[in-house]
Amino acid sequence: IPGIIECRLPVNDGPQHFRANAAVDALNRWIADGTEPPNAERLSVSGEPPAFKLDEYGNALGGIRTPDLDVPIALLSGEGQPQPDFDPDAPDFCFLSGITKLFDATQLGMLYADDADYDAKVNAATDRAVEQGFLLPADAQLIRDWVAASTIFP
């Protein structure tokens, strides 16, 4: 938030509110009628000390899969930000915020033939997330509307 929270790098802007909406809805159904919430595989880790396994784009493997991860246009990391220059040992709120690093035109061109290809892949990933219970239909429609109105290629 410019002027209030200044992070060194753009924060992870994966739309977490969609996941939260689905989680609250699932919790309500569980309480109301005993329908258990959906389960996702755990985030993949390996090594010593353990670290997240990453895909070829730098995004974590496993966990809840949604369109922003399955049809990426950016690296969305939750692993925090570097400490500020003025005091590298000071606590910093940005370490909670992760980072977003948009893909360049070359990387986008390797992933998607054109905007229509990107749109179709986002819509398919959106449908999967709804079917798995990790995205509400109303939020899925917001994603479909956004992708239909946007362009990722000049």
Side-chain angles (χ1 to χ4, degrees):
I1 303 170
I4 298 172
I5 300 171
E6 299 285 339
C7 295
R8 179 180 267 178
L9 301 170
V11 299
N12 180 331
D13 68 354
Q16 296 303 318
H17 61 290
F18 292 148
R19 272 57 119 201
N21 291 345
V24 169
D25 182 72
L27 181 60
N28 284 336
R29 282 185 283 113
W30 194 13
I31 292 167
D33 65 16
T35 302
E36 290 192 26
N39 288 311
E41 67 177 275
R42 302 272 186 203
L43 289 169
S44 297
V45 295
S46 68
E48 193 56 49
F52 291 116
K53 289 184 183 179
L54 305 176
D55 65 18
E56 61 268 36
Y57 315 113
N59 291 316
L61 294 170
I64 295 173
R65 306 310 298 178
T66 54
D68 44 303
L69 290 174
D70 286 343
V71 189
I73 58 171
L75 171 136
L76 297 173
S77 173
E79 295 201 61
Q81 301 234 343
Q83 294 293 324
D85 288 334
F86 60 86
D87 185 0
D89 297 321
D92 179 15
F93 177 80
C94 294
F95 81 95
L96 296 171
S97 302
I99 62 168
T100 294
K101 182 178 178 192
L102 294 173
F103 296 163
D104 63 24
T106 301
Q107 206 167 6
L108 289 172
M110 291 174 20
L111 292 169
Y112 313 109
D114 54 24
D115 284 312
D117 179 42
Y118 172 70
D119 294 2
K121 289 176 178 174
V122 168
N123 287 329
T126 299
D127 292 343
R128 279 192 308 276
V130 170
E131 289 168 14
Q132 294 169 341
F134 299 124
L135 190 58
L136 296 177
D139 291 337
Q141 189 57 52
L142 293 173
I143 293 170
R144 288 186 196 95
D145 292 346
W146 175 84
V147 77
S150 66
T151 59
I152 61 168
F153 292 100

